[in-house]
Amino acid sequence: MPRFSVIVPCFKVQGFLRECLDSVLLQSFNDLELIAVDDCSPDGCGAILDEYADRDPRVKVLHLPENVGLGRARNAGMPHATGDYLFFLDSDDTLTPGALRAVADRLAETGDPDVLVFDYARTYWWGGTRRNALARVLAEAGADTFTVADRPEVLDLLMVVWNKVHRRDFVEENGFAFPPGYYEDTPWTFPVMLSARRIAALDRICLNYRQRRQGNILSTTSRKHFDIHDQYERVFAFVDERTELVGWRPYLHRKMGEHCLDILAKPDRLPPADKAEFFRRTAEMFRRHRPEDALVDGEVALLEGSYPAYRLRRQAARAGRQAARRALPARREAVVRARRGWAGIHAVRPLDPHLVVYSASSHRGVLGDPAAVHRKAREIAPQLRGVWVVRDEETADRLPPGTEHVLVGSRRYLEVTARATFFVNDVNWPGSLAKRPGSVHIHTHQGTPLKYMGADLLDKPGARLGFDVPQMLRRADRWDYSLVANRHSELVWECAYPCHFSSVRTGSPRNDVLVGAADGGAGAAFRLRHGIPEDHTVVLYAPTRRDYRRVGHVDRIDLARFAADLGKGHTLVIRLHPTLATGPARGMGLTELARRGVVVDATDEPHVEEVMLASDVLVTDYSALMFDYANLDRPIVVHADDWAAYTASRGAYLDITAEAPGHVSRSYRELAWLFASGSWRDEESTRLRADFRTRYCEFDDGRAAERVVRMLLLGESMPECPAVRIPGQPVGDDLLAST
């Protein structure tokens, strides 16, 4: 008996069908059967299904003699299912890699619940991907099973059949079946969820829900959308037959009203001539099923009035939105004028020679190089007043105690930026910030560049999608100093940013804590915080984003398999690229693996230096983190299985596979062997790392932040001061020059 019976109804989807079937049959978890139902499809679906059945014994094909619709096609497949769980998959959708393994593990963890609800992502025909907006409901559901009475918010999730797996015995015991017509999921999912005694949640994207440009049945203009009324009648009938469910009638009554009004509001659902009739039938049903204790307010209150009143309300709302859109430019211009006036008041006042304004990672907090400079300035130059620019109140609440700050765009922001003498940032300041004569802008960057940056992106249209290079260069024209950790960075920045700044060979301030660091301190605190045993070997995996994918995320490694292959005595820590932290990347399995303790998710750790200090080895692909990590003199493994694609799409300043800081793996098999054999820390890896450190940690000596404070903020000199030169000067007698 297989664990899963995947039932796939097929009708006029020949262009998507192979991708759907492959997403199931190529899963790492293969204890399954696939029951494909050819719903008398007039295209090539039947032949494709037969082809797959001929070469894979797990595939069973049913050819229906006539077209019966999606719901009854699913019904036709159910009697042939022998698996523990039923998985209804639409034939234009796909499973994500590792989805069935994650579902199987969660089912085992929760003792085979009646229903397991998982997450999904909408994938659009133009290439975009968007995670389910209510994913937090799954995250908050916890590790235990529950009922809808325990967690009613689970009913706010999309009430469809394909974001769940159902225990087959539970379905058969209750006689659940799909009715004919549109919206067939409605009278299935509500009875199922209300009847289930044990529900589990999986906070993982297991399915890609394809948003087709054309061909989606529910986006077809037709009177068949009137079927929604019959489907809710079936739901109410189910509840009426079970006295224990009567308490759900107010919720279902309101849900029905909202659902029908949503259909009515969609421009592509109902023929215009039929909308009045649809409203009247919905209103009649709403009145007939209204419980005595029902709360009727908000939008559903419109169903107690007439269709003309509904139309007037809709027209008024539309007119209000249009007026607001027309007024928006004027309001924005007024705000800009007011801010300019406020800034102008302070712009005539002299610069404050002791005021330093800091920002990091697009105003995300006290981070990176600017944070290291700020700490050192407070230590050796207390006369300097440091003010941080942050993006919102939430970020401000996370700042260290006693950190003076302003919100970007606020009046206080305009005041301090108009009066400050020094500006320290690792990305560009907003274009609205005017550089006053006498002010000094110090740009720290965000590490040593491997991938193309700045003007070099002009030759990489995919990598600069949505990125305005000329505007970026205009903002970079404000830089006075550019900090570098090695000669490679110096040369790259001067070409990538053809602006009038001085390159300062200070080293990277944030790396001061890494230079000559011993185990303990911040690293020990990180291990303690995440429950990592002291004797464990910590493997840090830090992948970067990919420019050949719109969402930037590509799963290059099966994290669960890697953690298992590392074996006992190892802890796998994952640090995603910051730009992937809020996208679907974590929902593809990382969040769930972290919850189960398989891996540690360090993506949200504000200080990456702590994560590096806590680790014993770094595994990365093309992340600039490797240049910082080399200061620790600990092993580094470069996993370069898509190097050709990466360089073709983004471009690279050096061949990291030829000048690697350690061993290079070109496949997962090679990566696993490096750790199984112990080669990741052999003599060759030590030699490669030493050569790498010589080239790219050239100016990192643990005193970079002090150098910036003394030389650039205080105008002092330091013994054995590194040289500085202005771009275009001969590389002879280098000078510390101010601009």
Side-chain angles (χ1 to χ4, degrees):
M1 179 185 298
R3 189 59 164 159
F4 297 108
S5 293
V6 184
I7 299 176
V8 184
C10 308
F11 183 74
K12 296 176 69 173
V13 288
Q14 63 179 9
F16 307 109
L17 185 54
R18 292 182 185 276
E19 186 181 1
C20 173
L21 299 177
D22 288 342
S23 76
V24 177
L25 299 174
L26 298 179
Q27 288 281 312
S28 58
F29 185 91
N30 56 23
D31 186 14
L32 62 93
E33 62 181 2
L34 193 155
I35 302 170
V37 183
D38 173 17
D39 191 14
C40 200
S41 184
D43 58 5
C45 285
I48 293 172
L49 296 178
D50 290 338
E51 173 193 330
Y52 273 76
D54 288 341
R55 67 171 188 248
D56 194 322
R58 295 175 296 171
V59 179
K60 304 176 185 177
V61 180
L62 303 178
H63 294 283
L64 302 185
E66 61 179 358
N67 178 250
V68 298
L70 181 59
R72 286 188 287 182
R74 290 170 177 160
N75 291 340
M78 278 196 284
H80 299 270
T82 62
D84 297 330
Y85 280 85
L86 302 177
F87 194 138
F88 298 100
L89 177 65
D90 287 354
S91 49
D92 53 353
D93 297 336
T94 57
L95 299 186
T96 60
L100 289 185
R101 166 60 65 188
V103 172
D105 289 345
R106 184 73 175 120
L107 291 173
E109 182 184 32
T110 52
D112 285 6
D114 299 327
V115 180
L116 172 70
V117 187
F118 52 79
D119 203 8
Y120 66 93
R122 297 175 187 266
T123 57
Y124 295 88
W125 60 270
W126 43 266
T129 299
R130 181 167 60 86
R131 189 177 185 181
N132 166 28
L134 293 177
R136 59 171 179 76
V137 173
L138 297 173
E140 295 167 359
D144 298 329
T145 58
F146 54 88
T147 66
V148 291
D150 300 325
R151 292 192 172 275
E153 62 272 16
V154 75
L155 294 178
D156 293 331
L157 296 169
L158 198 60
M159 283 291 99
V160 290
V161 70
W162 43 256
N163 64 352
K164 306 170 183 70
V165 293
H166 307 76
R167 188 165 57 82
R168 183 166 59 87
D169 289 346
F170 165 69
V171 171
E172 292 176 350
E173 289 166 4
N174 287 274
F176 294 125
F178 293 94
Y182 281 16
Y183 305 99
E184 70 289 329
D185 283 4
T186 298
W188 169 286
T189 51
F190 281 116
V192 162
M193 296 297 284
L194 294 175
S195 301
R197 294 185 177 89
R198 299 178 66 246
I199 302 170
L202 174 60
D203 181 19
R204 186 193 194 278
I205 298 172
C206 294
L207 181 138
N208 288 321
Y209 176 31
R210 190 187 301 273
Q211 306 295 288
R212 293 162 63 179
R213 183 171 180 268
Q214 293 180 341
N216 187 330
I217 292 176
L218 292 185
S219 294
T220 303
T221 303
S222 168
R223 280 187 60 87
K224 289 187 177 181
H225 292 283
F226 279 77
D227 288 350
I228 188 64
H229 300 122
D230 291 336
Q231 306 297 23
Y232 271 103
E233 290 287 5
R234 293 183 172 97
V235 174
F236 287 125
F238 180 87
V239 171
D240 289 343
E241 293 171 0
R242 293 159 176 79
T243 56
E244 71 275 12
L245 299 181
V246 170
W248 288 101
R249 283 187 61 85
Y251 172 85
L252 294 171
H253 172 257
R254 187 180 189 89
K255 192 74 173 179
M256 180 273 295
E258 292 173 345
H259 196 169
C260 291
L261 286 174
D262 182 64
I263 294 171
L264 183 61
K266 292 286 196 304
D268 57 354
R269 299 293 173 89
L270 294 161
D274 295 324
K275 289 191 173 185
E277 180 186 352
F278 185 90
F279 178 89
R280 288 193 294 270
R281 286 183 56 176
T282 301
E284 188 278 327
M285 186 177 178
F286 191 75
R287 288 190 295 270
R288 178 159 42 86
H289 287 286
R290 177 176 177 175
E292 292 183 2
D293 55 346
L295 177 64
V296 178
D297 61 356
E299 188 179 19
V300 293
L302 295 172
L303 291 171
E304 295 197 328
S306 64
Y307 181 64
Y310 163 81
R311 289 193 62 189
L312 286 174
R313 176 74 175 270
R314 293 278 302 173
Q315 290 169 357
R318 189 180 303 115
R321 289 193 297 270
Q322 292 173 347
R325 283 196 296 269
R326 287 193 296 269
L328 185 59
R331 287 201 301 271
R332 286 176 175 168
E333 180 61 27
V335 170
V336 169
R337 286 198 302 269
R339 287 177 175 173
R340 285 174 179 167
W342 182 259
I345 294 174
H346 296 280
V348 298
R349 300 172 63 187
L351 294 178
D352 183 342
H354 297 124
L355 180 56
V356 187
V357 178
Y358 297 91
S359 180
S361 300
S362 300
H363 317 309
R364 285 183 168 86
V366 180
L367 306 168
D369 288 313
V373 174
H374 181 229
R375 284 194 299 270
K376 184 57 66 173
R378 295 180 72 172
E379 175 188 335
I380 65 176
Q383 70 273 27
L384 296 177
R385 173 191 170 202
V387 180
W388 281 85
V389 177
V390 295
R391 58 182 178 176
D392 51 36
E393 290 287 0
E394 183 180 352
T395 305
D397 290 341
R398 296 195 299 266
L399 295 177
T403 302
E404 186 176 356
H405 66 277
V406 294
L407 299 183
V408 64
S410 67
R411 286 190 173 186
R412 288 279 297 132
Y413 164 82
L414 296 174
E415 178 183 342
V416 298
T417 55
R419 297 288 317 282
T421 296
F422 300 101
F423 293 79
V424 182
N425 202 344
D426 59 5
V427 295
N428 262 318
W429 292 97
S432 57
L433 192 154
K435 186 177 190 297
R436 291 185 63 184
S439 65
V440 177
H441 283 238
I442 301 169
H443 194 76
T444 70
H445 302 282
Q446 291 184 319
T448 295
L450 171 61
K451 60 189 177 184
Y452 277 10
M453 303 290 287
D456 293 329
L457 291 175
L458 291 171
D459 193 39
K460 297 292 180 181
R464 73 169 196 272
L465 181 66
F467 181 62
D468 189 334
V469 174
Q471 181 188 70
M472 177 272 300
L473 293 177
R474 287 192 295 271
R475 294 179 179 182
D477 283 333
R478 296 174 295 195
W479 302 353
D480 293 292
Y481 297 111
S482 167
L483 308 189
V484 298
N486 46 65
R487 297 170 202 265
H488 162 79
S489 296
E490 183 174 337
L491 295 175
V492 166
W493 296 140
E494 292 179 9
C495 292
Y497 299 99
C499 307
H500 298 288
F501 57 80
S502 299
S503 295
V504 192
R505 296 175 177 178
T506 57
S508 295
R510 70 181 183 279
N511 288 342
D512 288 349
V513 298
L514 305 180
V515 178
D519 294 337
F526 175 89
R527 288 187 177 222
L528 181 64
R529 194 160 62 246
H530 291 278
I532 301 174
E534 292 183 5
D535 60 343
H536 268 216
T537 297
V538 175
V539 180
L540 171 60
Y541 175 50
T544 193
R545 65 177 291 116
R546 300 305 199 272
D547 291 293
Y548 58 77
R549 288 290 296 273
R550 181 181 290 270
V551 296
H553 174 70
V554 180
D555 276 320
R556 308 307 309 176
I557 293 177
D558 183 332
L559 299 179
R561 180 182 177 186
F562 189 32
D565 288 344
L566 287 173
K568 293 182 179 180
H570 293 76
T571 295
L572 180 60
V573 176
I574 313 299
R575 172 84 176 188
L576 295 180
H577 191 277
T579 61
L580 302 176
T582 57
R586 295 164 88 173
M588 297 297 287
L590 176 56
T591 298
E592 176 63 11
L593 292 175
R595 185 195 64 79
R596 289 167 45 203
V598 176
V599 302
V600 172
D601 181 4
T603 304
D604 287 337
E605 287 288 334
H607 303 293
V608 68
E609 298 84 6
E610 291 189 17
V611 185
M612 290 190 283
L613 286 165
S615 66
D616 298 293
V617 53
L618 170 68
V619 178
T620 186
D621 34 39
Y622 324 117
S623 172
L625 194 69
M626 72 177 81
F627 297 96
D628 301 332
Y629 195 85
N631 283 286
L632 289 170
D633 197 20
R634 299 175 190 175
I636 301 172
V637 175
V638 175
H639 186 57
D641 65 335
D642 65 341
W643 177 242
Y646 183 85
T647 53
S649 61
R650 179 65 190 231
Y653 293 113
L654 60 109
D655 184 352
I656 198 62
T657 64
E659 302 180 48
H663 288 296
V664 178
S665 58
R666 304 272 186 178
S667 66
Y668 177 75
R669 182 177 180 180
E670 292 181 7
L671 177 64
W673 178 84
L674 285 172
F675 281 91
S677 65
S679 300
W680 60 277
R681 55 182 174 184
D682 62 11
E683 291 184 4
E684 177 66 7
S685 72
T686 302
R687 183 189 67 79
L688 292 169
R689 186 168 68 255
D691 291 344
F692 190 84
R693 292 179 69 229
T694 299
R695 291 193 301 273
Y696 300 111
C697 302
E698 185 178 4
F699 305 139
D700 282 335
D701 62 355
R703 301 183 68 189
E706 181 184 359
R707 225 170 256 122
V708 174
V709 174
R710 292 195 185 280
M711 295 164 55
L712 304 184
L713 300 185
L714 299 178
E716 301 175 355
S717 61
M718 286 183 62
E720 301 177 3
C721 173
V724 178
R725 71 183 180 87
I726 298 175
Q729 286 185 336
V731 187
D733 296 330
D734 291 329
L735 302 173
L736 174 61
S738 61
T739 57

